[in-house]
Amino acid sequence: MVLLAGGAGGSTFAVGLRDVIAERGGHLTVICNTADDLWVHGLRIQPDVDSMLYGLAGVKDRERGWGRAGDSDRVSHELAEWGLGWDWFTLGDLDLGTHIARTAWLRGGVDVAAVVERLSARWPLGATLLPMTQAEVSTFVDLGDETIHFQEWWTRYRAKREPVAFANPGMDAATPAPGILEALEQADVIVLAPSNPVVSIGTILAVPGVREAILASPAPVVGVSPIIGGSPVRGMADVCLRVVGAECSASGVAGLYGARDDGGLLDAWLIAEEDAGEAAAIEGLGIRPVVRPLWMRDVPLTRALASDALAAAATATS
Ligand code: FO1
């Protein structure tokens, strides 16, 4: 089974999916967004990869959705005394250990995928974690009068500054990381996590070859809506959807991904009970709507949602 995912919501869903798949004797491969990655203090930070790593390892700060549980900020406070860093982007002490290890390996010539593999080896993740690409492809946000890195727009401005467009410099020359095309080719089921459809799933799909590999795969493709009752479950997906001209609704995101029969991605689309009224519109797009409880409030509910996604895949025609 292959999951395409971003960080916070994606890692919560991944844990449920991993557990359900393991019970059935299967294996989960997660393809993780890396377009949020950035350099800070000379260290390579991979926010979504780390949220996924910590989530699968059971050491994520579940309240915030990122970083390590029980972390402290002593080093970041010390760096601030030296005038380094930003008050809107705090690196925890334990988290810094990850970034130092990653950067040391990268500087020593280990490639990005092998570094993720080394980080993954620390805990029994019960899943294979793959970065979407080894290339440095960032998301930049064009605000009209200036262009800033996605992290600044997201964490400093909380997406309050209206963007004109997103750009991913380097994307055209990027290639999927080792293992991705094989995983998609061999997948029994491909799942799109309830992650941001533009700056998380959208960037994974933008890596040349990834969308094509999904379209070519015989596996059914099932997505879980990140929009419940017309609002993003987490984060500021509404602003991102506006930028790409899509409505912030379960059917709006389904339309963005498109129907398999119509050259798009989705066979089936899980939507919340709150959005049941959109089922007909989704069916009209050529995608099978499946109305289920989508709130991942606890582990049992998340596992139930993952199980629903697999059940939808089992009945989807591909
Ligand atoms: N998000 C914040 O809102 N504030 C932070 O200070 C912050 C620090 C941070 C450090 C490491 C890391 O891996 C993630 C961090 N995040 C922080 C989360 C991150 O910026 C975003 O939620 C994701 O990039 C969006 O997918």
Side-chain angles (χ1 to χ4, degrees), residues 36 45 47-48 66 88-91 95 150-151 154-155 158:
D36 295 10
I45 321 289
D48 284 4
W66 52 269
W88 45 268
F89 196 75
T90 307
L91 297 170
D95 194 30
F150 170 79
Q151 278 303 336
W154 192 257
T155 58
R158 301 270 152 213

Side-chain angles (χ1 to χ4, degrees), residues 7-314:
S11 61
T12 302
F13 181 75
V15 171
L17 189 60
R18 173 202 60 193
D19 294 350
V20 170
I21 290 171
E23 276 169 16
R24 300 173 188 192
H27 183 79
L28 176 66
T29 296
V30 181
I31 301 175
C32 200
N33 173 46
T34 60
D36 295 10
D37 297 4
L38 69 167
W39 290 96
V40 184
H41 312 309
L43 298 174
R44 189 64 176 157
I45 321 289
Q46 297 196 285
D48 284 4
V49 166
D50 290 345
S51 294
M52 190 59 72
L53 176 73
Y54 298 156
L56 291 168
V59 300
K60 185 179 77 168
D61 183 327
R62 289 169 58 177
E63 191 73 25
R64 292 187 307 190
W66 52 269
R68 292 279 296 270
D71 210 348
S72 48
D73 298 333
R74 293 190 68 196
V75 175
S76 277
H77 285 302
E78 188 63 13
L79 287 167
E81 293 295 324
W82 295 109
L84 284 174
W86 311 298
D87 57 5
W88 45 268
F89 196 75
T90 307
L91 297 170
D93 298 328
L94 297 176
D95 194 30
L96 271 163
T98 307
H99 311 315
I100 292 168
R102 169 186 295 119
T103 309
W105 287 325
L106 288 173
R107 295 239 182 273
V110 182
D111 68 29
V112 176
V115 166
V116 172
E117 198 178 334
R118 283 192 188 191
L119 293 170
S120 300
R122 174 161 173 198
W123 294 283
L125 301 187
T128 302
L129 175 53
L130 300 176
M132 66 184 197
T133 181
Q134 307 212 78
E136 277 190 28
V137 285
S138 314
T139 297
F140 279 90
V141 187
D142 177 0
L143 297 167
D145 50 353
E146 63 173 326
T147 297
I148 59 176
H149 192 281
F150 170 79
Q151 278 303 336
E152 183 174 11
W153 178 70
W154 192 257
T155 58
R156 182 179 190 182
Y157 297 112
R158 301 270 152 213
K160 292 281 186 291
R161 297 180 68 187
E162 195 66 27
V164 177
F166 297 111
N168 300 115
M171 189 65 95
D172 290 351
T175 54
I180 287 187
L181 297 182
E182 296 79 357
L184 289 170
E185 197 188 335
Q186 292 159 19
D188 292 322
V189 179
I190 298 171
V191 183
L192 307 186
S195 298
N196 190 307
V198 181
V199 295
S200 295
I201 305 290
T203 44
I204 300 174
L205 295 172
V207 176
V210 169
R211 179 184 290 271
E212 295 76 2
I214 297 173
L215 292 176
S217 171
V221 181
V222 177
V224 181
S225 174
I227 308 296
I228 299 184
S231 302
V233 174
R234 209 186 170 107
M236 288 74 78
D238 48 343
V239 189
C240 302
L241 286 164
R242 208 158 46 231
V243 174
V244 298
E247 192 186 82
C248 180
S249 65
S251 53
V253 179
L256 188 67
Y257 289 144
R260 200 81 185 271
D261 289 344
D262 198 23
L265 296 168
L266 292 174
D267 290 299
W269 185 231
L270 269 70
I271 62 170
E273 293 157 312
E274 293 88 327
D275 300 312
E278 295 181 43
I282 292 164
E283 207 148 11
L285 293 169
I287 300 163
R288 198 162 66 78
V290 179
V291 181
R292 302 301 302 156
L294 294 197
W295 289 107
M296 299 186 287
R297 289 191 213 283
D298 53 31
V299 174
L301 282 171
T302 307
R303 284 187 190 156
L305 176 58
S307 193
D308 288 337
L310 296 181

